[in-house]
Amino acid sequence: ESRKQNGAVAATEGQVYSIMSDDEYEYEYDDDASMGDGGDDGEEQFEYTDEEEPADDIQVELENLYYNSKGLRDTSLEEAKQSFEKVIEQESNELASNESSHKYGPWSYKAMKQLVKLHLRVGDAAGVQKDYQRLLECIAAGDVSPNQIEKGINGMLERVASLYQGNIYSSMSSSNSKMDPQALALQVYDSTLQTF
């Protein structure tokens, strides 16, 4: 038995007591094996491997191809367009080979956004309309998060609005431009409204 002396608990031989506040917790273990000392107690041990999932390799390849394509924008717009198309094609093929229910993935979505931006940069209204329609199709049939969709579409609408207001259009050479900003803005906004 224990006795109380001056607010402390005195223990009899073989017993140990400590005074703890209500906020403290004490954990006791019966033996060292339960504390995970590495002893072989019949439980499976985790093994580290250097193997990666094949899907991860493909995602890394798509990511690299996408960022390499972005790098081409400053040197060759035509090469950049072809490279972004390759991102879309590779991801679509990969999704089809995995029997995915999605036609497009997040890298295709990003590549399509870049294609629309490239067409806007050179003043190619037909290209903008074509790739913006593909972007909207990607939203409907792709594996793209709602946050990515909202951010991407808002960004595209802001670019088109800037184009219409003359902020971008004035920086394009009018001799190369085949774009009527007002008509393009109406088409992009109409397409967006039909999708959402």
Side-chain angles (χ1 to χ4, degrees):
E1 289 185 25
S2 60
R3 310 174 275 157
K4 235 182 189 191
Q5 296 177 344
N6 297 331
V9 177
T12 59
E13 188 176 326
Q15 294 178 331
V16 177
Y17 291 99
S18 64
I19 299 178
M20 299 172 60
S21 71
D22 291 339
D23 296 344
E24 295 179 29
Y25 297 96
E26 184 177 325
Y27 297 98
E28 295 181 17
Y29 297 95
D30 292 335
D31 58 3
D32 289 341
S34 65
M35 292 181 67
D37 65 350
D40 187 21
D41 56 0
E43 293 182 24
E44 293 182 33
Q45 298 293 322
F46 180 77
E47 294 182 25
Y48 292 95
T49 63
D50 291 335
E51 296 176 18
E52 291 184 14
E53 301 268 337
D56 290 342
D57 289 343
I58 292 163
Q59 290 301 312
V60 168
E61 185 179 325
L62 286 168
E63 180 178 10
N64 287 338
L65 182 57
Y66 172 78
Y67 285 109
N68 288 338
S69 303
K70 279 184 83 169
L72 292 172
R73 295 178 304 180
D74 297 330
T75 57
S76 172
L77 293 179
E78 195 55 43
E79 285 181 39
K81 287 178 190 178
Q82 291 171 358
S83 191
F84 283 124
E85 289 291 347
K86 191 173 180 182
V87 170
I88 297 165
E89 180 183 343
Q90 280 188 0
E91 188 169 44
S92 294
N93 290 341
E94 178 59 28
L95 290 169
S97 71
N98 289 336
E99 298 178 5
S100 172
S101 61
H102 301 290
K103 185 175 178 180
Y104 301 107
W107 294 112
S108 297
Y109 175 74
K110 291 178 180 186
M112 288 178 199
K113 283 192 331 183
Q114 292 299 322
L115 286 168
V116 172
K117 291 176 187 180
L118 289 175
H119 292 301
L120 281 170
R121 182 188 286 184
V122 297
D124 179 11
V128 170
Q129 292 167 358
K130 177 185 136 248
D131 284 325
Y132 191 73
Q133 284 294 49
R134 285 174 64 196
L135 182 67
L136 294 174
E137 179 187 336
C138 179
I139 289 168
D143 183 18
V144 185
S145 76
N147 289 342
Q148 284 180 309
I149 293 169
E150 182 179 355
K151 183 178 176 187
I153 294 300
N154 284 340
M156 287 296 132
L157 294 176
E158 286 175 13
R159 283 181 182 274
V160 170
S162 293
L163 176 76
Y164 178 67
Q165 294 169 354
N167 297 341
I168 295 174
Y169 192 69
S170 62
S171 67
M172 293 187 283
S173 64
S174 56
S175 61
N176 291 340
S177 181
K178 310 170 215 165
M179 191 167 358
D180 174 8
Q182 183 177 11
L184 179 64
L186 288 172
Q187 290 172 339
V188 167
Y189 276 90
D190 284 345
S191 298
T192 305
L193 289 172
Q194 289 173 7
T195 301
F196 295 99

